[in-house]
Amino acid sequence: MTIHNLYIFSKNGTLLYYAEWNRLNKSGITKEEEAKLMYGMLFSIKSFVNKISPLDPKEGFLYYKTSKYTLHYFETPSGLKFVLNTDNATQNARELLQQLYREVYLEYVVKNPLCQLNEPIQSELFKLKTDELFKKSPLFLSRSI
Amino acid sequence: MRQQMIDTKTTPHSSGEADECLFEYLHAEMVNYTLSKSSNNKEGEEELSRLEWMGFSVGYRIIERLTREWNRFKDELDMIKFICTDFWASLYHKQIDNLRTNHHGVYVLQDNSFRLLEKVGTNSNKQYLQESPRLLAFTCGLLRGSLANLGIISTVNAEISTLPSCKFHVQVQRI
């Protein structure tokens, strides 16, 4: 099981935070462009899923899977979006994202009066704690390839 | 009397999560508001005396309630000890980690993990070291106000060398 990378978007689509651990394939475009592309796709998937759902969509879009990787999506009621790419064997990445929101984002961004909300996260402590959380997670198995 | 009994049931330690962050967020906004109101920003020195004054008034009042069940203190050191233990514990849910004094009216109170700085940074990085003193002005006033109501006139300064620990220097003015 491997975790590839993480995106956090604000409710209006700003990339708040990006981190990567085991990413072998680079997109070949700048990080900003990639973030816009990612956000655009998520936005479309979300509205597509909600429109096409034959039943009440409740939680809506949760994840998608390709032959190589899985993208997990978690959105808070306040519109904050957490996106995590893992390999296909990974199961409950959603819980990990919820934990990231609850234990790291809330504690070290929202409760830090020197952090501006809805702007890219600068706090070193946040970066440290995010890294810690992922590295100690059982989903994280760093393979040096 | 009846009112008092009801009041003692709600001890400061039994407060839930929401009560705690309410103070933290309100404090953060007070700092922002004070900074936005202060006009002269000379030499990077921030105008925090209003905030300090707010802390003073709060401390002056809060000490009345906290010492309600206490006898009179026997000397200055006794009062400072009360500040380090009960006072600090009821406000910040922990005690002061280290108290030093030269026995001539200078006290240094060290908190190794001050609650208002805890979420800001760790000792491994120097980020926010410049901005964080503004988060201490209110607490300085709080100390000064509570000591004032106990009969000690003092000046209080704060110092941060590594986050999230900080030192409060209390200098008692002898008349």
Side-chain angles (χ1 to χ4, degrees):
Chain A
M1 291 194 278
T2 324
I3 290 172
H4 297 302
N5 54 1
L6 165 80
Y7 302 81
I8 303 177
F9 292 100
S10 75
K11 72 161 141 276
N12 30 33
T14 325
L15 180 69
L16 296 181
Y17 187 63
Y18 174 76
E20 64 179 45
W21 290 275
N22 301 303
R23 183 175 181 177
L24 298 172
N25 187 28
K26 304 284 175 220
S27 56
I29 50 177
T30 64
K31 205 174 89 180
E32 289 74 23
E33 276 179 86
E34 188 187 290
K36 275 185 210 159
L37 217 55
M38 174 62 90
Y39 186 79
M41 181 199 66
L42 292 170
F43 191 85
S44 311
I45 292 185
K46 227 175 74 177
S47 67
F48 172 78
V49 165
N50 286 337
K51 281 202 186 78
I52 226 73
S53 169
L55 305 165
D56 176 22
K58 292 212 169 69
E59 282 197 277
F61 171 50
L62 298 174
Y63 68 93
Y64 76 67
K65 198 178 251 189
T66 73
S67 59
K68 287 285 180 199
Y69 75 101
T70 308
L71 178 142
H72 303 266
Y73 179 75
F74 167 62
E75 186 175 333
T76 68
S78 59
L80 212 61
K81 296 159 184 75
F82 293 82
V83 181
L84 188 71
N85 287 319
T86 65
D87 65 351
N88 286 335
T90 307
Q91 286 298 317
N92 38 17
R94 207 177 162 71
E95 265 167 45
L96 186 65
L97 288 180
Q98 268 164 339
Q99 202 183 357
L100 174 73
Y101 171 58
R102 219 173 37 231
E103 290 169 20
V104 184
Y105 183 82
L106 280 183
E107 290 298 315
Y108 299 101
V109 176
V110 179
K111 284 194 181 173
N112 180 349
L114 302 174
C115 255
Q116 296 298 317
L117 297 182
N118 297 322
E119 274 175 36
I121 299 164
Q122 305 293 340
S123 168
E124 294 292 335
L125 190 59
F126 172 80
K127 292 176 191 175
L128 200 80
K129 294 285 175 186
T130 307
D131 212 48
E132 246 172 44
L133 178 74
F134 279 100
K135 287 197 171 149
K136 76 165 203 267
S137 151
L139 307 183
F140 191 91
L141 240 163
S142 103
R143 287 177 302 180
S144 49
I145 311 163
Chain B
M1 187 59 204
R2 175 136 187 88
Q3 181 59 41
Q4 207 172 355
M5 278 171 64
I6 295 164
D7 207 5
T8 41
K9 274 182 201 159
T10 57
T11 54
H13 299 280
S14 68
S15 56
E17 166 91 14
D19 309 340
E20 287 182 29
C21 54
L22 188 61
F23 166 67
E24 285 169 32
Y25 296 145
L26 185 62
H27 175 263
E29 287 313 312
M30 270 160 38
V31 175
N32 282 341
Y33 180 76
T34 316
L35 287 178
S36 71
K37 285 284 166 188
S38 62
S39 49
N40 51 335
N41 201 343
K42 50 187 185 233
E43 301 131 30
E45 192 89 341
E46 292 173 330
E47 185 58 61
L48 292 169
S49 56
R50 282 177 67 88
L51 202 59
E52 211 264 351
W53 175 246
M54 284 188 227
F56 182 89
S57 321
V58 173
Y60 202 89
R61 282 156 197 269
I62 221 163
I63 206 75
E64 295 283 4
R65 189 197 175 286
L66 288 179
T67 53
R68 197 172 51 196
E69 278 126 43
W70 281 69
N71 298 323
R72 281 172 61 187
F73 297 105
K74 69 175 186 294
D75 58 8
E76 200 175 273
L77 188 64
D78 220 30
M79 293 176 194
I80 300 278
K81 277 185 188 157
F82 168 77
I83 296 285
C84 290
T85 55
D86 287 66
F87 178 79
W88 215 256
S90 55
L91 294 177
Y92 299 114
H93 305 292
K94 73 187 283 290
Q95 296 186 356
I96 283 283
D97 293 300
N98 191 353
L99 167 67
R100 266 181 274 172
T101 175
N102 66 353
H103 298 290
H104 288 95
V106 178
Y107 299 89
V108 180
L109 285 66
Q110 187 178 337
D111 192 334
N112 291 333
S113 172
F114 186 51
R115 192 166 121 210
L116 299 175
L117 297 174
E118 231 169 22
K119 306 293 159 58
V120 174
T122 54
N123 50 16
S124 57
N125 56 57
K126 295 233 179 303
Q127 194 192 21
Y128 297 130
L129 209 54
Q130 289 277 308
E131 292 91 338
S132 25
R134 68 175 73 146
L135 299 174
L136 298 180
F138 181 80
T139 308
C140 284
L142 209 60
L143 279 172
R144 199 165 66 85
S146 46
L147 288 172
N149 203 1
L150 291 174
I152 303 176
I153 306 302
S154 58
T155 51
V156 180
N157 291 311
E159 175 199 323
I160 306 171
S161 45
T162 52
L163 292 166
S165 80
C166 63
K167 284 179 189 162
F168 295 95
H169 296 264
V170 179
Q171 170 105 48
V172 178
Q173 279 167 10
R174 300 278 156 81
I175 311 145

